[in-house]
Amino acid sequence: MSCGKEKGKRHPTIDIVAELLVDFLAENDLELFNVEFVKEGRERFLRVYIDKPERPDGEDEYVDIEECEKVSRFLSDRLDEEDPIAENYMLEVSSPGLDRPLIKEDDYRRYAGRLVDVKLYKAIDNRKQFCAELVGLNEGIVSFIDEKNQNFEIPFDQISKINLSVII
């Protein structure tokens, strides 16, 4: 599902939440984008990001607030019933946003041709950040087209973060 860029161990809560949501999301023409179970300060947050499935025409469709509320109510009720999480936490359900991160391999296919903001672990040509057109991901190599219309490639494991660029 992901491209292998895991930071530390995956919390079992993530798999539990994914399992609780799979059928409900499919019935509501939604899909699970990502789940995070993180500690920030003294608080724990269970963040669930939902998305619309890719449309055959390639047009983007976005999640609205009512869909987030519906998923939040459903998941909150199911988590209360199952009680799989020992710690106290805050539940947040949202869309990944216009500047969504690219997480799954399929994201690199789905958003090929779009501008992306890229952050690298280590500078290449004295740059750790840049914006370029995404070509795709193939065998661990991410391909881009720069502002001079030249192709270049970067190994996936050298990229710390990649998000869709938002042009205003």
Side-chain angles (χ1 to χ4, degrees):
M1 183 150 150
S2 75
C3 297
K5 191 163 63 166
E6 288 189 320
K7 308 263 194 255
K9 283 188 170 182
R10 183 178 166 108
H11 199 283
T13 299
I14 292 170
D15 295 325
I16 292 167
V17 169
E19 184 64 31
L20 289 173
L21 284 173
V22 68
D23 292 335
F24 181 79
L25 292 176
E27 291 166 9
N28 288 279
D29 196 31
L30 296 166
E31 63 185 19
L32 187 61
F33 182 82
N34 196 21
V35 178
E36 300 173 342
F37 190 57
V38 296
K39 186 171 183 174
E40 294 177 2
R42 295 182 178 184
E43 303 293 323
R44 278 231 178 246
F45 292 89
L46 175 58
R47 293 191 177 113
V48 176
Y49 299 91
I50 58 174
D51 203 5
K52 295 277 189 171
E54 184 175 10
R55 290 178 24 173
D57 61 10
E59 289 294 315
D60 288 330
E61 233 184 316
Y62 299 102
V63 173
D64 62 35
I65 190 76
E66 289 82 18
E67 290 165 319
C68 290
E69 288 174 10
K70 186 175 186 178
V71 172
S72 181
R73 281 192 298 274
F74 170 82
L75 183 57
S76 181
D77 290 347
R78 289 299 311 274
L79 289 170
D80 285 348
E81 289 169 20
E82 305 276 331
D83 200 22
I85 305 171
E87 301 105 325
N88 290 329
Y89 61 91
M90 301 287 292
L91 174 63
E92 297 176 354
V93 176
S94 69
S95 152
L98 295 176
D99 63 343
R100 67 192 55 219
L102 304 188
I103 298 172
K104 301 174 279 189
E105 271 188 57
D106 195 51
D107 294 340
Y108 290 80
R109 180 205 49 78
R110 182 175 181 175
Y111 297 110
R114 300 275 299 267
L115 285 178
V116 291
D117 295 318
V118 181
K119 293 183 181 180
L120 305 173
Y121 288 114
K122 196 164 85 173
I124 295 176
D125 295 331
N126 295 321
R127 292 171 58 185
K128 284 184 78 172
Q129 298 183 93
F130 61 89
C131 180
E133 180 182 326
L134 175 67
V135 174
L137 172 67
N138 188 19
E139 296 184 17
I141 304 294
V142 184
S143 302
F144 303 95
I145 297 175
D146 68 12
E147 65 277 355
K148 296 174 187 163
N149 211 30
Q150 295 179 326
N151 288 336
F152 66 101
E153 299 177 333
I154 298 176
F156 181 81
D157 61 3
Q158 292 183 21
I159 298 172
S160 72
K161 191 174 185 183
I162 185 167
N163 294 71
L164 291 182
S165 186
V166 177
I167 310 289
I168 299 175

